[in-house]
Amino acid sequence: MQNINKQIRVILLLVVVIAVALPSFSAQACVGRKLVLGSVEADRPAMVTRILSILIHDRTGTTVEVKFFPDQIKLLEAVKKGKVDLYVDYVESAVDRLEVEVSSAEAADRFKAVKRRFEEELNLIWLKPMGYSGLDGNGRSLGPASTVVHKETLKKFPALPRLLEKIGTRVVLDDGRLDSLVGKSRSEKRAKVARNYLKEVKLI
Amino acid sequence: MKHNLVYGLMLLVIAAGVIPGRGIAGEETPIQQVIRQKETWRKEVKVDGIVIVAKGGILNIAPGTRVVFSVRDDDGDGIGDSELRVEGSLEVTGTEKVPVIFTSAAAEPGPADWKYIMINHADSASVSNAVVEYAYSGIQVHYTRGSFSGLVSRHNVDGFRFSTAPVTLENSLLTKNVNGIRFEERGAGAVIRNNDITRNRIGVFAVIKCEGLTTFGNNSIAGNSDYAVKMGMEQRDDIPMKGNWWGGADPEQIREFFFDGKFEPGLGRVLFEPFLTDRPNMVQTP
């Protein structure tokens, strides 16, 4: 009798697991996957985020949503909470905000120190720099810009680094080019400027 | 104690069956209606939220019916959340002169006003002479054998999207979408013939896992603004697409219409030769 009860319980447990898992499986299979990109509300980061979102959407078919935040600190908070999958951060800004200890003045060393700290403490992966430097509200440099992605996100989207690092390796988005795109976005829609850029450099 | 556990589990099972549909971000979209038996829609039907045709249920939609989806975005992702979800059977029986129309309730409609007609693990699907417009993906089919003809899919993000589904799509017009057709074969070959795929940004988007099982023949895939065919970044296999019209007779010019391995090494190639040198006669769509 006790064995029968045990069997019933196991069967019911299996049914529950299947019943709960099935809707999420079918939703995933049907709707497709979605990525949330975070950006600070400023011209340059918004333009770069639009470029990244179009690149991801057009090359992988993934649905992409962009969320805006007033500053880098609030953006990183959202990233830590898992509300944002990827965003753009800057080496020197990250050194200051997280008080990363790095004595070398070499850009590569400073990037490595930040990358290591983010990976160990925050489970966030810095991809290769894109070619331009971030600027604060007063035009001061925040250091080289990189896309930063959740480790968990990379498990679901393992091809992302290969795609996103095309910017910075196959084409370089330097300060001059980015400023030119931002300038164009004053008279054209940002998405159109971003799409034209990606087509011009043959990434989409 | 044991009984409590058993009852608790049973309650959980029941709860899992009635929990409202969840959007991608976890926000709830109310289920407006679950169709469990045979039902016929006529004239005008409003969908506000999710309508589900459950396993064993049959939804027949009569000629001339207008199915109007309300514009609601419960999870704030910019994609409308009203949808028709089919797990049972869908029979759309429009005629050339009196099609069935699936559209947005917005005064000034746009792509993604509503989500889609989702046919997933369904009993069957047959759609004849219908217009689907202003959705995220007009019709989306997964794990279901279905036939679609006389379809006009326009002003959607994806006009017709399928994955792991041996569907037949024929005599249809896919136009003014971002992607006319978007597909992931995943071992299930489909038949795409006698369609006019034009004035989309991308005519056909082969996202991933397409291994040449799907046959494309006698289609006109011309006049799409970015590419006639685009490979997703992990689409490694070639895609046979011979016997279609690409809008010209010069093979070199036609190759420029493809975002494939010629464009980026590592991607598969579109095998488009021999191709039609004239536009095929297309059946008039509603």
Side-chain angles (χ1 to χ4, degrees):
Chain A
M1 188 65 187
Q2 205 168 5
N3 277 343
I4 292 170
N5 272 344
K6 196 175 173 185
Q7 282 174 352
I8 289 171
R9 271 186 285 168
V10 169
I11 289 166
L12 278 170
L13 192 63
L14 279 172
V15 171
V16 169
V17 168
I18 291 165
V20 170
L22 203 57
S24 60
F25 164 75
S26 59
Q28 192 66 250
C30 316
V31 179
R33 299 172 296 180
K34 190 174 91 166
L35 274 173
V36 178
L37 273 62
S39 173
V40 170
E41 287 168 340
D43 286 341
R44 289 176 121 223
M47 174 55 72
V48 174
T49 305
R50 183 56 68 194
I51 289 170
L52 297 177
S53 72
I54 291 172
L55 181 62
I56 293 168
H57 177 262
D58 276 38
R59 295 300 304 275
T60 70
T62 304
T63 304
V64 179
E65 182 184 358
V66 177
K67 287 184 176 170
F68 287 97
F69 297 85
D71 57 49
Q72 202 72 10
I73 293 168
K74 289 196 171 60
L75 171 54
L76 185 54
E77 280 171 14
V79 175
K80 286 182 195 170
K81 287 176 186 166
K83 292 180 177 174
V84 169
D85 292 298
L86 67 93
Y87 76 112
V88 174
D89 210 337
Y90 315 99
V91 173
E92 296 308 324
S93 166
V95 167
D96 289 346
R97 275 180 286 127
L98 273 74
E99 297 176 343
V100 178
E101 286 182 17
V102 50
S103 53
S104 171
E106 290 292 323
D109 293 336
R110 298 178 79 77
F111 174 79
K112 275 183 195 166
V114 168
K115 182 179 169 73
R116 191 181 314 118
R117 176 77 174 270
F118 269 66
E119 184 166 358
E120 287 172 0
E121 289 187 13
L122 303 173
N123 272 330
L124 297 174
I125 305 296
W126 281 58
L127 304 184
K128 289 175 185 160
M130 286 182 271
Y132 73 95
S133 291
L135 298 175
D136 70 9
N138 299 314
R140 284 190 294 261
S141 175
L142 298 169
S146 282
T147 306
V148 182
V149 193
H150 258 294
K151 247 186 191 173
E152 287 301 310
T153 303
L154 291 182
K155 286 182 190 167
K156 288 183 277 182
F157 299 85
L160 263 186
R162 195 156 49 85
L163 175 63
L164 297 178
E165 286 179 344
K166 287 181 192 296
I167 298 178
T169 54
R170 194 165 134 188
V171 298
V172 175
L173 181 58
D174 59 22
D175 287 299
R177 191 66 188 264
L178 179 54
D179 286 338
S180 156
L181 297 176
V182 168
K184 281 182 189 171
S185 72
R186 300 196 200 290
S187 56
E188 286 179 89
K189 280 189 176 173
R190 192 177 280 144
K192 187 179 175 190
V193 174
R195 180 171 293 283
N196 286 343
Y197 165 70
L198 287 167
K199 285 183 77 173
E200 190 185 323
V201 296
K202 297 190 182 303
L203 285 181
I204 61 171
Chain B
M1 184 67 184
K2 278 178 191 165
H3 282 104
N4 285 345
L5 178 65
V6 171
Y7 290 140
L9 286 169
M10 287 173 79
L11 275 174
L12 263 175
V13 173
I14 292 162
V18 297
I19 287 169
R22 285 183 173 275
I24 306 166
E27 300 294 327
E28 290 182 7
T29 302
I31 291 174
Q32 185 190 13
Q33 186 185 2
V34 179
I35 297 167
R36 299 188 188 281
Q37 297 179 332
K38 181 155 187 176
E39 180 166 327
T40 299
W41 285 359
R42 291 187 176 84
K43 296 180 181 173
E44 180 152 316
V45 178
K46 290 198 168 86
V47 175
D48 180 24
I50 302 172
V51 171
I52 299 175
V53 182
K55 279 275 174 206
I58 299 171
L59 175 59
N60 176 279
I61 306 181
T65 305
R66 273 175 63 86
V67 182
V68 182
F69 293 83
S70 69
V71 182
R72 54 182 304 150
D73 185 5
D74 299 298
D75 53 9
D77 66 353
I79 299 170
D81 287 316
S82 290
E83 64 176 82
L84 173 59
R85 193 183 296 174
V86 180
E87 295 159 9
S89 294
L90 177 66
E91 301 167 349
V92 176
T93 56
T95 65
E96 280 184 37
K97 288 187 177 168
V98 192
V100 171
I101 295 172
F102 299 89
T103 191
S104 160
E108 291 181 20
D113 274 356
W114 55 286
K115 196 173 275 176
Y116 42 46
I117 299 169
M118 167 61 69
I119 301 163
N120 187 22
H121 287 282
D123 296 335
S124 66
S126 169
V127 175
S128 297
N129 299 300
V131 176
V132 183
E133 56 190 10
Y134 304 114
Y136 181 68
S137 49
I139 291 183
Q140 216 181 113
V141 193
H142 303 262
Y143 304 100
T144 305
R145 191 175 295 276
S147 66
F148 303 84
S149 66
L151 179 70
V152 176
S153 190
R154 62 191 179 200
H155 304 292
N156 308 290
V157 175
D158 298 325
F160 186 82
R161 176 170 165 177
F162 61 97
S163 171
T164 331
V167 295
T168 298
L169 173 68
E170 57 192 349
N171 305 325
S172 294
L173 170 65
L174 301 124
T175 190
K176 298 178 184 172
N177 306 287
V178 174
N179 302 306
I181 292 177
R182 169 184 165 149
F183 77 114
E184 298 176 20
E185 214 171 75
R186 296 183 183 272
V191 177
I192 310 294
R193 63 188 173 207
N194 308 329
N195 300 292
D196 191 0
I197 305 167
T198 187
R199 293 204 282 171
N200 305 285
R201 185 187 290 159
I202 308 290
V204 177
F205 184 16
V207 182
I208 192 170
K209 307 261 186 196
C210 301
E211 297 167 326
L213 297 173
T214 295
T215 57
F216 289 83
N218 210 46
N219 300 289
S220 171
I221 311 175
N224 297 287
S225 63
D226 281 10
Y227 301 101
V229 181
K230 188 173 79 171
M231 307 282 200
M233 76 165 291
E234 293 183 272
Q235 174 55 38
R236 309 264 171 236
D237 289 304
D238 295 339
I239 299 183
M241 298 182 83
K242 65 182 181 184
N244 296 286
W245 163 247
W246 303 98
D250 178 357
E252 285 310 307
Q253 196 180 23
I254 292 172
R255 281 193 187 92
E256 296 299 313
F257 300 150
F258 306 139
F259 188 107
D260 65 355
K262 175 182 154 290
F263 197 103
E264 186 171 298
L267 298 180
R269 301 287 289 261
V270 179
L271 308 178
F272 67 99
E273 295 178 286
F275 54 88
L276 299 181
T277 51
D278 286 306
R279 192 176 187 279
N281 287 326
M282 318 294 296
V283 171
Q284 284 295 309
T285 43

